[in-house]
Amino acid sequence: MADRYGDNFDNGGMIGMDNTNFSSPGAGNNNISSSQNSNENRRTITAIEEQTLIPVTIAMILNSNDGMLQDGREPNQVKLVAAVRGVGKTSTSFNYEVEDGTGSIDIKEWFDEGDPLIKSQIREEAAVEHQYVRIIGKMERFDNKPLVTAFAVRKLSSGNELTHHFLEVVHSVEAYKRCSQIVGTPGGIAMGGMANAIGIGGGVMPSTSTPLAQDSGMTGNELQDDILAFLAGSGEGGRNINEFIQSSTGKHTRGDIMNMFAHLSSEGIIYSTSDDNHYAKIC
């Protein structure tokens, strides 16, 4: 994977392409309209991601069976990052062929001519060959061939999103396997097969044999306990840290909250999901 993608980026951009291919919509324009469009886009993406959303590679989709991943998870929605190798447009849909180094797959994104202008702009910016895009959608099959029906396709705002996504895929698989071990269910896949399952090659991933400390209950740290209670049952989409800050006004300072979230993340007790503002518990 490193060899395939290592030559595609130069100082954060793709060789042979203008670096603005990774710019967010309206980059460099600080007017009010641009800011409003950006906020509307973020709200749209966030609303989608606050459901059961699992980061995957294309190989994981290709190896799935009846909507179930090899490790036993049944995602409501999936997200992947891939390079656009082909794109076509009809009167009702964009049709992509994408690949991520683990395989290739077709993506179909339906649209309506009456959609807001900002959504149309995001689609047009994504529908360009030889750039990386982020896709949120649902695994389906058509003519016995796997595909993804996309709810949202957008170009990457930074080349770092590619690396982050593959790390997130590995972390998600590990987190699910660890939870399965803690509750004693057989859903987790064998450790040695995890790398092959996500399609990034062989190797043995490190494991944690001891259950995490937070599973035993209260920690004695009021702020930590409040955060873990806030994230309980949030699912893999996680919850927004700003919601916790607002609900904790007068009880915890913003600085203390941010530091605790960073600490819990570094300890592997929680992890970021769709962006730097959304977090979920490991179990």
Side-chain angles (χ1 to χ4, degrees):
M1 181 181 72
D3 292 337
R4 179 181 292 271
Y5 290 103
D7 295 335
N8 283 342
F9 290 94
D10 182 17
N11 295 327
M14 295 179 65
I15 293 176
M17 299 176 63
D18 187 279
N19 284 349
T20 56
N21 280 336
F22 285 116
S23 301
S24 57
N29 185 349
N30 294 322
N31 59 38
I32 295 176
S33 176
S34 174
S35 175
Q36 290 173 338
N37 287 345
S38 177
N39 289 337
E40 180 179 346
N41 178 32
R42 179 172 291 277
R43 285 195 297 270
T44 300
I45 300 296
T46 299
I48 293 172
E49 290 175 339
E50 285 177 345
Q51 304 176 46
T52 305
L53 184 66
I54 295 179
V56 297
T57 64
I58 291 176
M60 293 170 69
I61 299 175
L62 298 179
N63 293 327
S64 64
N65 184 24
D66 291 332
M68 180 182 292
L69 301 178
Q70 282 189 323
D71 59 12
R73 290 180 294 173
E74 297 184 64
N76 178 39
Q77 299 175 32
V78 295
K79 60 179 174 179
L80 61 147
V81 172
V84 178
R85 296 310 183 205
V87 60
K89 182 181 180 182
T90 70
S91 60
T92 57
S93 68
F94 281 95
N95 301 290
Y96 297 85
E97 179 187 354
V98 302
E99 65 97 7
D100 66 353
T102 73
S104 62
I105 197 169
D106 292 335
I107 309 292
K108 180 179 285 290
E109 181 185 20
W110 299 98
F111 68 87
D112 191 315
E113 292 294 346
D115 284 342
L117 179 60
I118 180 62
K119 290 186 178 180
S120 299
Q121 291 174 341
I122 292 171
R123 291 192 188 103
E124 293 292 341
E125 289 171 350
V128 178
E129 294 184 359
H130 310 305
Q131 71 172 359
Y132 285 90
V133 293
R134 186 167 185 263
I135 302 157
I136 297 174
K138 187 176 182 64
M139 297 191 307
E140 295 185 340
R141 298 188 76 85
F142 182 74
D143 286 342
N144 204 33
K145 179 182 178 181
L147 61 83
V148 172
T149 299
F151 307 130
V153 180
R154 68 164 176 82
K155 67 179 181 181
L156 300 192
S157 59
S158 166
N160 292 332
E161 287 192 59
L162 177 65
T163 303
H164 179 272
H165 175 74
F166 279 101
L167 292 174
E168 189 178 25
V169 170
V170 174
H171 189 280
S172 176
V173 173
E174 272 291 276
Y176 176 76
K177 185 176 66 63
R178 184 182 298 129
C179 288
S180 297
Q181 290 174 340
I182 290 173
V183 299
T185 62
I189 61 176
M191 192 57 128
M194 194 270 278
N196 288 331
I198 66 176
I200 59 173
V204 177
M205 301 299 298
S207 63
T208 301
S209 57
T210 304
L212 297 177
Q214 78 271 20
D215 291 314
S216 61
M218 305 295 283
T219 66
N221 183 302
E222 183 180 24
L223 175 54
Q224 180 172 335
D225 290 338
D226 287 348
I227 291 174
L228 296 180
F230 171 74
L231 297 178
S234 61
E236 293 206 8
R239 297 188 65 181
N240 195 315
I241 187 175
N242 292 316
E243 294 179 15
F244 182 79
I245 293 174
Q246 292 175 1
S247 66
S248 301
T249 302
K251 185 176 183 181
H252 305 297
T253 67
R254 180 184 181 89
D256 287 344
I257 292 171
M258 298 297 288
N259 288 337
M260 181 58 74
F261 267 87
H263 169 71
L264 295 176
S265 179
S266 67
E267 292 295 316
I269 297 173
I270 66 175
Y271 65 99
S272 61
T273 59
S274 57
D275 55 41
D276 290 339
N277 290 327
H278 287 79
Y279 288 85
K281 289 177 61 177
I282 292 294
C283 293

